[in-house]
Each structure stands twice: as C-alpha cells, then as structure tokens.
Amino acid sequence: MDNTAYKNRLNAYISHLEQDEKSRATIAQYRRDIICFFEYLGSAELTKEAVLAYKRQLELKYMPVSVNAELSALNSFFPLQAEPILSLSF
C-alpha cells in the first residue's frame, strides 16, 4: 500500500473512532499500533501471512496482554478497510 493510501485509511479510521466516542488514549494507542504495523510491513504486500508474521514478532518481544492490545487495534482497523480476512485470533 502506498504511503498516501495508508495515511488516508488511517485518518478515516481515526475519524471513525472519534465518531464512536472512543477515549483520546484509545485513539492515540490505536494510531501508534497501526503505524507500527505499517512500518513493519514497509513496501511488502498486505496479506494474512504478513499479519501473522507481525503477530509472531510481537509474541517474541511482549507479554500476551500487550500483543493482544496491538492486535485489537488491527482487528478493528482491517474490517473497515474491506480487509476482514486479515483479522487475527487472540
């Protein structure tokens, strides 16, 4: 996904969270989590395998509760992008 498309999707998602009256802290954390994922992804194709690889990387670094928090952000982001197949189990 090119940088402009990613930024547009992220901004639309943040607007969605604001309309859903999510807390500022939640919005800030979800923004950081999604940015981290797309930085990890780089120019690679957005696939289920790429998301699973990211999950495995997180599992090596963090406790399960932290991994689940990051996955929660992605799991709420992907369906709004018409990418529900990319959602992961906790």
Side-chain angles (χ1 to χ4, degrees):
M1 177 183 319
D2 70 60
N3 201 27
T4 302
Y6 150 69
K7 286 181 181 179
N8 289 340
R9 286 181 170 198
L10 179 58
N11 289 335
Y13 175 67
I14 296 303
S15 293
H16 170 77
L17 294 177
E18 291 168 345
Q19 290 172 1
D20 277 356
E21 300 180 12
K22 300 295 184 192
S23 74
R24 286 187 210 173
T26 297
I27 292 170
Q29 186 61 51
Y30 277 26
R31 179 191 300 269
R32 280 190 298 274
D33 292 343
I34 292 166
I35 288 171
C36 285
F37 170 73
F38 279 101
E39 286 175 352
Y40 164 83
L41 188 64
S43 62
E45 185 178 352
L46 179 58
T47 64
K48 178 83 171 200
E49 291 75 25
V51 179
L52 288 170
Y54 182 66
K55 177 183 178 182
R56 286 189 294 274
Q57 178 185 327
L58 293 176
E59 290 171 334
L60 294 174
K61 292 180 171 180
Y62 303 111
M63 298 296 293
V65 68
S66 298
V67 173
N68 290 343
E70 287 210 33
L71 296 179
S72 179
L74 294 175
N75 279 340
S76 69
F77 176 75
F78 289 138
L80 294 173
Q81 310 305 314
E83 305 278 2
I85 190 107
L86 299 176
S87 294
L88 298 175
S89 299
F90 293 99

